[in-house]
Amino acid sequence: MVKKEYIERSHLRCFNYGVDKERKFSAKIIFGQQLFDRLEKNKTLIEVATPFMEHLYNFVKGSNFFSILTDGEGCILKVIGDEKILQEAYSLKMVPGAFMDEKNIGTNAMGTALAEKKPVQVSGEEHYIKAYHRWTCSAAPIKNPEGEIIGCLDLTGYSPQVHSHTLGMVVAAVKAVENILTKDQATFKLSVVNKYIETIINSIDEGIITIGPKGYLKLLNTKAEKFLGLTSTEAQGKKAKDYIENWDFIEGVLKEKNKITEEEIYIKGKKGKFHCIISGYFIQGKDKPQGYVCIFKEIKTARKLANKMYGKQAVYTFEKIIGRNKGFIKTLEKAKMVADSPSTVLILGESGTGKEVFAQAIHNASSRKDEAFVAINCGAIPKNLIEAELFGYEEGAFTGGKRGGSIGKFELADGGTLFLDEIGEMPLDMQVNLLRVLEEGKFYKLGGNREISVDVRIIAATNKDLKKEVEKGFFRKDLYYRLNVLTIKLPSLIERKDDIPLLVDYFLTIKSLKLNKKPIVLGEEVLQKFMNYHWPGNIR
């Protein structure tokens, strides 16, 4: 993971301050009259911020989070949260009066937000002291109407619970606090608080629905309104089960376990069905149940983000492909021509000629360039696992499978490109399943009973003569013709020997730069030997 620049700056400051990484408590904690005076001095800030702290906490209640308010120097003014995690915080003396600035306790979201004068998120080992490696913290500085930093609002939980939208919630709450501070405190009313809370909820890029205890829709945030095609007013009196498939099951889990996490469901809206991941919480009032809060994100959106962060991306473009050979240039031009076609592409060529390089370049020159590029080598996966790799599997589908199942390459590539390398090595029985997906755009996970639709462009590659494989009975004729729509034949290195000096110069330059050495120039005699060699591995 790339280190955040503000974390690097903070760690340098902590090093210069001489902060001990083994420290457990803040170096500065005030008590008694000193603390009382500071609380009195910040009375208005505490009064204004407290409702927003409570609303933030109520939104994540039961998920082991706590919220902290500090003044402009990082002194804790107030802490609220779940009992278990608060006990751990108190054991580290994260209590009112403790100073959370970097000089006294090292890198943490509150101190770093105050130092950087901007919202930050600090997770796990990004904290300078080891005792805080268990936390993920999201904090934003609070400014008065004159633009001076007067405090900081923080939401902290265990590091595995890190979510990008947590910081967005804190920032929105801080903006609300800052707006309230500009108003006359005499007009501070609950309706104003609710309006800003509504703003916080609507700023989250996920659908949020509140549902009454009898299963009727109550409130929708802006994202949920777009999904369902309803306004919150229109949603009144409508049943959740008419919009959330399998609602009875979800409701049962919520009643039994109080929450549900990342369950796959379909949301039914006016524009059709949306395949989503849903999490939900059961809300219990003082005397009776109040209903449920459900948060959902379309799987396409979630996977697109995951692919950007962690998935395989296409890094090669046509501009990065090296060659001057006339025949090779013609091949390159043909690849550029077919790049933006929706049709399947079959790339033929010996091993090491650059089939995946061309596949990535084709993807990057297509209308799908902003979507996922997913590659799978059909010859490198055991025959009994290739179906699970391509289509994914449900929990319990086979011995040794992951808990919760797994997403297959087709789903990961939804909206983008799937590169099937060494397609000639695919087992015959799997070729039938692949053909169905190519024809219908639908499949079932291994062990699953729900049909999944995908929009994937296929680029296949092989070093085999598929026509001969068809004649031998090793490759299905119908699949061959389905794949062999647009064909690109890559020449071997022997067929483009005039490119060898260019490639030699390129690779020597790259290696010299990587090793921080002076560029090497080959003598004529050595270069001639290169030209005469048969290069069985081609460019690779």
Side-chain angles (χ1 to χ4, degrees):
M1 182 181 287
V2 178
K3 203 168 187 179
K4 302 166 187 170
E5 289 182 2
Y6 63 78
I7 296 295
E8 291 180 332
R9 291 194 295 269
S10 176
H11 281 205
L12 181 59
R13 287 193 294 269
C14 294
F15 177 82
N16 291 333
Y17 291 145
V19 178
D20 184 358
K21 290 187 176 182
E22 300 300 325
R23 172 177 289 283
K24 291 186 178 180
F25 313 132
S26 173
K28 185 177 180 181
I29 304 176
I30 58 175
F31 305 95
Q33 190 61 44
Q34 274 188 300
L35 176 57
F36 179 80
D37 291 344
R38 192 167 287 256
L39 293 176
E40 276 296 301
K41 179 182 176 182
N42 291 280
K43 186 177 179 181
T44 300
L45 174 62
I46 296 169
E47 287 178 351
V48 174
T50 294
F52 295 95
M53 291 178 71
E54 290 173 348
H55 278 285
L56 275 177
Y57 167 62
N58 286 334
F59 197 72
V60 294
K61 190 174 182 179
S63 302
N64 282 318
F65 274 90
F66 63 100
S67 182
I68 301 176
L69 176 69
T70 77
D71 67 12
E73 295 180 81
C75 178
I76 295 178
L77 303 175
K78 185 161 186 165
V79 183
I80 61 171
D82 289 338
E83 184 177 349
K84 179 187 173 184
I85 199 168
L86 276 183
Q87 287 177 349
E88 291 191 39
Y90 290 157
S91 71
L92 296 174
K93 297 186 180 179
M94 295 173 72
V95 295
F99 281 72
M100 300 303 295
D101 56 306
E102 292 178 340
K103 190 172 184 179
N104 285 300
I105 198 64
T107 304
N108 69 91
M110 289 162 279
T112 303
L114 292 171
E116 292 285 332
K117 299 180 180 180
K118 67 179 183 180
V120 300
Q121 189 170 64
V122 180
S123 299
E125 293 181 3
E126 292 175 348
H127 290 91
Y128 194 77
I129 67 168
K130 294 178 182 178
Y132 283 8
H133 287 184
R134 72 188 74 176
W135 308 124
T136 179
C137 313
S138 303
I142 302 169
K143 297 178 181 178
N144 64 16
E146 290 72 45
E148 301 166 333
I149 293 177
I150 59 169
C152 185
L153 185 61
D154 170 87
L155 194 59
T156 292
Y158 294 121
S159 56
Q161 295 175 307
V162 59
H163 285 293
S164 58
H165 67 251
T166 307
L167 183 58
M169 291 170 60
V170 174
V171 170
V174 165
K175 292 296 180 187
V177 171
E178 290 175 344
N179 283 327
I180 292 295
L181 289 171
T182 65
K183 297 179 180 292
D184 183 357
Q185 292 303 303
T187 63
F188 181 65
K189 295 180 180 178
L190 183 61
S191 60
V192 179
V193 177
N194 288 336
K195 184 63 180 175
Y196 282 108
I197 292 300
E198 183 183 326
T199 303
I200 294 171
I201 301 304
N202 284 330
S203 71
I204 297 171
D205 192 31
E206 293 177 337
I208 300 176
I209 302 175
T210 62
I211 299 164
K214 294 183 179 179
Y216 288 95
L217 301 179
K218 292 177 71 177
L219 296 173
L220 316 177
N221 74 341
T222 303
K223 196 74 174 181
E225 288 181 343
K226 288 180 180 178
F227 269 104
L228 271 60
L230 295 172
T231 64
S232 284
T233 303
E234 293 169 338
Q236 301 301 310
K238 291 183 168 57
K239 291 187 175 181
K241 67 180 182 180
D242 293 333
Y243 294 90
I244 303 173
E245 279 197 0
N246 213 14
W247 168 250
D248 290 339
F249 165 76
I250 293 170
E251 185 179 30
V253 174
L254 289 172
K255 284 181 177 177
E256 181 184 351
K257 299 182 178 179
N258 292 327
K259 69 176 183 178
I260 193 168
T261 305
E262 294 190 349
E263 182 75 23
E264 284 191 41
I265 52 99
Y266 282 90
I267 298 287
K268 293 182 284 187
K270 286 186 178 179
K271 294 182 179 179
K273 286 185 181 181
F274 298 94
H275 193 193
C276 298
I277 295 171
I278 192 169
S279 296
Y281 302 89
F282 175 62
I283 308 300
Q284 176 66 48
K286 286 184 179 179
D287 304 315
K288 58 182 181 180
Q290 295 298 304
Y292 316 91
V293 175
C294 292
I295 306 162
F296 59 91
K297 180 186 280 288
E298 191 175 9
I299 282 179
K300 273 187 182 180
T301 306
R303 285 184 189 143
K304 184 175 178 180
L305 177 61
N307 271 308
K308 279 186 177 180
M309 294 176 67
Y310 310 111
K312 177 151 187 176
Q313 297 296 303
V315 296
Y316 289 102
T317 61
F318 286 119
E319 289 71 27
K320 293 181 181 179
I321 297 177
I322 298 168
R324 294 174 185 162
N325 173 269
K326 289 183 179 179
F328 183 72
I329 293 297
K330 284 184 179 179
T331 302
L332 200 61
E333 292 303 319
K334 181 179 179 182
K336 289 178 182 179
M337 287 175 62
V338 306
D340 209 25
S341 165
S343 300
T344 300
V345 178
L346 179 62
I347 303 175
L348 306 174
E350 294 178 8
S351 183
T353 51
K355 295 187 288 295
E356 182 165 356
V357 171
F358 266 74
Q360 290 190 21
I362 289 169
H363 171 82
N364 279 329
S366 74
S367 57
R368 296 172 181 258
K369 63 184 179 181
D370 294 325
E371 303 295 335
F373 175 88
V374 179
I376 181 171
N377 188 320
C378 302
I381 299 171
K383 290 183 179 181
N384 60 328
L385 292 180
I386 193 166
E387 183 176 6
E389 280 290 321
L390 283 173
F391 306 127
Y393 58 86
E394 298 288 357
E395 183 174 345
F398 58 86
T399 304
K402 291 180 184 176
R403 186 177 180 182
S406 178
I407 293 172
K409 295 295 191 288
F410 265 99
E411 278 191 273
L412 285 173
D414 191 18
T417 302
L418 179 61
F419 175 55
L420 300 173
D421 199 7
E422 304 298 348
I423 189 69
E425 302 295 333
M426 181 172 281
L428 269 172
D429 55 343
M430 269 304 300
Q431 293 177 25
V432 179
N433 295 340
L434 176 60
L435 182 64
R436 180 175 181 266
V437 184
L438 295 181
E439 289 177 342
E440 300 177 15
K442 298 176 181 178
F443 65 91
Y444 291 90
K445 281 186 177 181
L446 193 63
N449 55 15
R450 185 174 62 230
E451 194 172 52
I452 298 171
S453 298
V454 288
D455 170 25
V456 175
R457 187 193 189 181
I458 298 294
I459 300 178
T462 183
N463 57 13
K464 290 188 173 184
D465 185 333
L466 286 187
K467 204 165 187 180
K468 287 185 179 179
E469 294 297 302
V470 170
E471 292 170 1
K472 292 176 186 176
F474 296 149
F475 203 83
R476 291 182 62 94
K477 183 186 288 187
D478 45 8
L479 179 58
Y480 169 69
Y481 285 115
R482 173 63 68 173
L483 293 172
N484 193 27
V485 179
L486 299 170
T487 307
I488 295 170
K489 175 71 169 69
L490 300 187
S492 65
L493 193 52
I494 293 299
E495 295 174 273
R496 46 182 295 210
K497 291 181 78 170
D498 49 331
D499 278 337
I500 290 176
L502 181 67
L503 291 165
V504 167
D505 182 61
Y506 171 76
F507 288 122
L508 283 177
T509 301
I510 291 297
K511 290 296 180 186
S512 299
L513 290 171
K514 281 186 178 179
L515 298 172
N516 198 25
K517 302 289 185 181
K518 291 182 180 180
I520 298 171
V521 179
L522 292 185
E524 192 62 39
E525 184 181 347
V526 177
L527 190 59
Q528 192 57 50
K529 288 184 178 181
F530 272 45
M531 295 291 287
N532 294 334
Y533 185 60
H534 62 289
W535 297 107
N538 290 292
I539 297 169
R540 185 185 290 132

